[in-house]
Amino acid sequence: RSEDVMLTGDLAWRAALALDNARLYRESQQAIQARDEFLSIASHELRTPITALRLGIQRLFRIARGGAEPPWKTVAASLDGVERQGKRLTLLIDSLLDVSRLQSHHIQLDLEEVDLSGVVRDVVAQLGSVLARTHTPLSLRADTPVVGQWDRVRLEQIVTNLLDNAIKYGAQAPIEVTVALENGAAVLTLRDRGIGISPERMPFIFGRFERAVSSRHYGGLGLGLYIVRQIVELHGGTIQVESSPGKGSTFTVRLPRG
Ligand code: ADP
């Protein structure tokens, strides 16, 4: 009798172990697949600005070798392109570095008194040329100062990443950006009327290396929202998203004022 019980217990234990092994195996296969996919996306994403950079530099070389009076408009446009692609490359590499720093908890916040409204106005101004180029209208409500103890550079990163996405996935429809104070906390809202996010994708968008197949032709490493969420949480804040496919998305960041 007692042997029977032991045997049953042993069998149950073995079955549980086998199930666990199967789960671990499946998960490691999925992780390997995600890593391979990420490597191919990352190589492609890094290659694109490098190719554009080289083309711009070759154009400038040809002009310089031509000997005649340079067509200054073309020179300026090429230099502008080179600068833009260089910046894009830096941002891509910075986000890769940020992910490994966040993973190993090596990011320290440099807290100081910051006005979130001012930061948002600056970022919108910095992205002005992208808004113009993509014909995206933007309405901004960030007139009253909302001051707190935050890391200015990281705050800029949050706003830049979210606004970048709103433009990228925004289908050129108007974007609304608002900064407000609610129950003593700072609230940043970005609303776009673009492609939106399907309910099945929702749980994954803040993950590392998460890219929807449908968003692949938009470019990007799939790291932006992961970094945003980590930085928001390092500040003790929260980020929420509401979205419906084809109608658009609203991202809401709440930050305690420290
Ligand atoms: P990336 O934009 O580089 O892919 P993110 O981490 O910023 O990476 O976003 C992860 C995914 O979430 C995107 O691939 C996209 O599918 C989805 N997403 C993010 N922001 C938006 C948005 N404003 N509208 C629709 N989809 C979005």
Side-chain angles (χ1 to χ4, degrees), residues 3 11 24-25 28 45 50 54 67 83 90 112 121 151 165 176 186 190 196 229 250-251 253 257:
E3 262 173 21
L11 273 177
L24 283 176
Y25 177 74
S28 66
E45 283 299 309
I50 289 174
R54 292 184 57 193
E83 162 71 8
T90 312
E112 56 176 323
R121 286 197 302 269
D151 183 320
N165 280 348
E176 284 164 34
L190 281 104
R229 183 183 189 165
T250 304
F251 285 83
V253 175
R257 294 200 294 145

Side-chain angles (χ1 to χ4, degrees), residues 41 44-45 88 168-169 211 215-222:
I41 290 172
H44 176 79
E45 283 299 309
R88 181 165 162 205
K168 187 157 76 173
Y169 304 111
R211 305 234 58 220
S215 59
R216 228 155 249 183
H217 71 275
Y218 288 93
L221 287 175

Side-chain angles (χ1 to χ4, degrees), residues 152-164:
R152 176 185 296 277
V153 175
R154 295 294 171 191
L155 227 55
E156 278 171 7
Q157 204 176 359
I158 295 174
V159 184
T160 307
N161 276 335
L162 291 177
L163 188 53
D164 240 10

Side-chain angles (χ1 to χ4, degrees), residues 22-258:
R23 185 182 53 80
L24 283 176
Y25 177 74
R26 209 172 42 243
E27 280 174 8
S28 66
Q29 287 303 101
Q30 280 165 355
I32 290 170
Q33 198 188 337
R35 186 203 58 191
D36 290 349
E37 224 164 80
F38 175 73
L39 280 177
S40 102
I41 290 172
S43 324
H44 176 79
E45 283 299 309
L46 293 172
R47 185 177 258 275
T48 311
I50 289 174
T51 309
L53 256 174
R54 292 184 57 193
L55 285 175
I57 292 169
Q58 281 165 12
R59 199 176 305 128
L60 288 164
F61 259 134
R62 271 201 302 279
I63 292 171
R65 283 206 205 97
E69 169 78 3
W72 290 115
K73 265 199 174 154
T74 317
V75 170
S78 300
L79 284 173
D80 188 50
V82 165
E83 162 71 8
R84 218 165 355 113
Q85 298 301 336
K87 225 188 219 168
R88 181 165 162 205
L89 209 49
T90 312
L91 285 177
L92 285 172
I93 292 166
D94 280 352
S95 50
L96 285 170
L97 284 173
D98 272 347
V99 170
S100 53
R101 285 196 206 111
L102 284 163
Q103 284 297 103
S104 53
H105 307 287
H106 279 150
I107 285 198
Q108 277 205 341
L109 296 180
D110 186 6
L111 299 179
E112 56 176 323
E113 195 170 281
V114 184
D115 170 23
L116 179 61
S117 295
V119 167
V120 171
R121 286 197 302 269
D122 288 350
V123 172
V124 169
Q126 278 162 28
L127 288 178
S129 60
V130 185
L131 287 163
R133 198 156 20 91
T134 53
H135 308 288
T136 308
L138 181 137
S139 78
L140 178 62
R141 282 200 358 239
D143 320 310
T144 352
V146 174
V147 178
Q149 290 290 317
W150 301 304
D151 183 320
R152 176 185 296 277
V153 175
R154 295 294 171 191
L155 227 55
E156 278 171 7
Q157 204 176 359
I158 295 174
V159 184
T160 307
N161 276 335
L162 291 177
L163 188 53
D164 240 10
N165 280 348
I167 299 171
K168 187 157 76 173
Y169 304 111
Q172 305 182 329
I175 296 172
E176 284 164 34
V177 183
T178 320
V179 179
L181 247 172
E182 259 176 39
N183 304 325
V187 183
L188 164 71
T189 316
L190 281 104
R191 174 168 181 211
D192 70 64
R193 295 179 178 79
I195 62 168
I197 304 161
S198 66
E200 308 87 66
R201 281 278 304 153
M202 269 307 197
F204 303 106
I205 61 167
F206 291 104
R208 262 185 320 155
F209 312 139
E210 280 300 339
R211 305 234 58 220
V213 176
S214 58
S215 59
R216 228 155 249 183
H217 71 275
Y218 288 93
L221 287 175
L223 301 176
L225 285 184
Y226 170 79
I227 294 172
V228 166
R229 183 183 189 165
Q230 300 294 318
I231 297 175
V232 167
E233 289 179 354
L234 273 178
H235 279 92
T238 58
I239 178 161
Q240 286 174 322
V241 53
E242 275 171 48
S243 185
S244 50
K247 294 220 172 101
S249 317
T250 304
F251 285 83
T252 308
V253 175
R254 285 193 169 75
L255 294 172
R257 294 200 294 145

